[in-house]
Structure formats: structure tokens, C-alpha cells
Amino acid sequence: MGFAFVNNSRINGITSLNSKMGHFNFFSVHHFNITDVTITAPGDSPNTDGLKLGFCSNINITKTHIGTGDDCVAILSGTTNMDISNVNCGPGHGISVGSLGKNKEEKDVNGLTVRDIVFNGTSDGIRIKTWESSASKILVSKFVYENIQMINVGNPINIDQKYCPHPPCEKKGESHVQIQDLKLKNIYGTSTKKVAVNLQCSKSFPCKKVELIDINLEHKGVEGGSFM
């Protein structure tokens, strides 16, 4: 289901089951509420993003369950002022910003709040991904992640500014995407990998003003370990 150039609208109380590709796509949508939606697809089904949004603003997503073979929520270029709360994500690839920087004419992404979320059995939880060799110089800023539970998540917190989904990727320098004003607070649970927090920022445009507060992630595996 796709929404393009839609304003002041909402979807409520519906289910999307086993979509062949992305379940809900939004382009240039503004002032839109998504409530009590269920999105379901097998964990091994490719490209079945739950909610994918580009060039959108003032989006509210709440009381929603998403389990897919790709991103539960994918936030793309030009999306601003978005609030995601009380969402269960899993299986899937987490709540992702990006990928960003690959194409020219991309726009800034700012004003994201993600709170009261449960990630269960996902490959990633909090994820920001930008291409190493950027075609555009944009700003990713004013993000807040708060009160988030991770249950057996592969990469609970993952900032990847060397994103390369199908290596080898052509390398022409560091990412030109600037990440700044990022706050992560009260994030807890279990990680299936020993590295629970990965901050791989750009050497040319290092991450700025990143706060990690009350992070308690324990490795659930033979060797143990934790990040607190």
C-alpha cells in the first residue's frame, strides 16, 4: 500500500499480511498518524519493510506491531519531525535511518523520537546507515531514543557510516553525512553479539554531541560480557 502527497490523514486498526515487497510506503506525506497496525511477514522474506518513509514530516506511529524480513521502520532522505512509540519490532532489521548519502539531491533527516519500544529477535535495533562514498552532504540530527528493550538482538545500537550491503563496494573516501545531537537513554536487554554498541562514524565528518545514558546491554552467549 502506498501513500504519496497525502496530508492530514491516518490509518488505524488494520493488518498487512505477507506482502510481496514493502507493506506501507510513504512519499511526501505530512501530518499522518499510524495507530494499532499489525504488519506480518516471515523473517526470511527479502525487502518486506514494514513502514518506509521518504520526504515526510510530522508522522506519528504508535501501538503497532511489526514483524518482517527487512526494516520494521525505514526512515529515508528528507524525513523530519517523526515520533515512534509503543511499537514491538521483530523479526526484522530494526528501526533504521537510511541508507543515506548514496544519491545526489538527498535532504537532511532531523527531529526523530523513538521511545517505549521492544525489539525482539531482530538483527538490529537502533540503526543509522550511511554510504562510505557519499554523493550528497547532508545532516542527520536531533534524534532521541529512550526506554527501549532489546531481547536477543544482534546489533542493539549500530551507527554504520561505512555501509556496504553487497561487498565489495567502491571506496572514494569517507561518508559526508554529518550525524549530531543524538541522545540514547535507558536502553537495556540482551545482545546476541559481544559488541552491543557500534559507533562507526565518518573520519571526515565525525559524530558530534552523542549521549549514551543508562545503557545496560548484556551479551547472551557462551562467553558472556556486557556494556553498562
Side-chain angles (χ1 to χ4, degrees), residues 86-156:
N86 295 294
V87 170
N88 291 323
C89 170
H93 296 177
I95 294 177
S96 296
V97 177
S99 61
L100 297 173
K102 184 179 182 180
N103 302 309
K104 294 181 180 179
E105 310 302 329
E106 291 190 19
K107 301 297 182 182
D108 296 347
V109 178
N110 61 68
L112 171 66
T113 299
V114 179
R115 54 193 169 86
D116 303 317
I117 309 294
V118 177
F119 294 101
N120 191 347
T122 53
S123 64
D124 296 84
I126 297 164
R127 188 183 190 193
I128 302 173
K129 48 186 179 179
T130 76
W131 289 82
E132 184 171 11
S133 300
S134 299
S136 57
K137 182 179 178 180
I138 60 175
L139 178 66
V140 173
S141 66
K142 299 178 182 177
F143 284 14
V144 175
Y145 299 90
E146 189 169 16
N147 302 332
I148 296 175
Q149 182 179 14
M150 307 285 180
I151 303 173
N152 298 335
V153 174
N155 302 290

Side-chain angles (χ1 to χ4, degrees), residues 19-147:
S19 173
K20 292 182 179 180
M21 292 292 287
H23 291 255
F24 294 95
N25 295 308
F26 300 86
F27 178 80
S28 194
V29 169
H30 308 286
H31 299 281
F32 199 101
N33 292 329
I34 301 164
T35 308
D36 289 321
V37 171
T38 299
I39 298 171
T40 303
D44 59 355
S45 56
N47 302 315
T48 53
D49 294 293
L51 302 166
K52 181 179 285 188
L53 307 100
F55 292 93
C56 297
S57 69
N58 299 295
I59 307 295
N60 184 283
I61 302 168
T62 190
K63 297 178 182 178
T64 290
H65 180 87
I66 306 171
T68 74
D70 211 313
D71 295 328
C72 290
V73 182
I75 302 159
L76 305 180
S77 166
T79 298
T80 62
N81 298 328
M82 185 170 178
D83 189 283
I84 304 172
S85 65
N86 295 294
V87 170
N88 291 323
C89 170
H93 296 177
I95 294 177
S96 296
V97 177
S99 61
L100 297 173
K102 184 179 182 180
N103 302 309
K104 294 181 180 179
E105 310 302 329
E106 291 190 19
K107 301 297 182 182
D108 296 347
V109 178
N110 61 68
L112 171 66
T113 299
V114 179
R115 54 193 169 86
D116 303 317
I117 309 294
V118 177
F119 294 101
N120 191 347
T122 53
S123 64
D124 296 84
I126 297 164
R127 188 183 190 193
I128 302 173
K129 48 186 179 179
T130 76
W131 289 82
E132 184 171 11
S133 300
S134 299
S136 57
K137 182 179 178 180
I138 60 175
L139 178 66
V140 173
S141 66
K142 299 178 182 177
F143 284 14
V144 175
Y145 299 90
E146 189 169 16
N147 302 332

Side-chain angles (χ1 to χ4, degrees), residues 158-216:
N158 187 16
I159 295 178
D160 182 7
Q161 294 208 260
K162 293 182 179 291
Y163 180 66
C164 176
H166 306 293
C169 294
E170 185 179 6
K171 296 183 179 181
K172 296 182 180 178
E174 294 288 326
S175 176
H176 289 185
V177 178
Q178 176 69 67
I179 297 173
Q180 68 181 46
D181 295 313
L182 184 66
K183 181 178 180 180
L184 302 99
K185 182 178 180 181
N186 191 31
I187 299 171
Y188 60 95
T190 54
S191 168
T192 61
K193 296 183 180 179
K194 291 188 70 175
V195 179
V197 178
N198 175 49
L199 306 180
Q200 187 167 250
C201 297
S202 169
K203 291 181 180 178
S204 298
F205 294 86
C207 299
K208 298 179 180 179
K209 299 180 182 179
V210 177
E211 294 183 82
L212 298 174
I213 304 168
D214 297 329
I215 310 297
N216 187 348

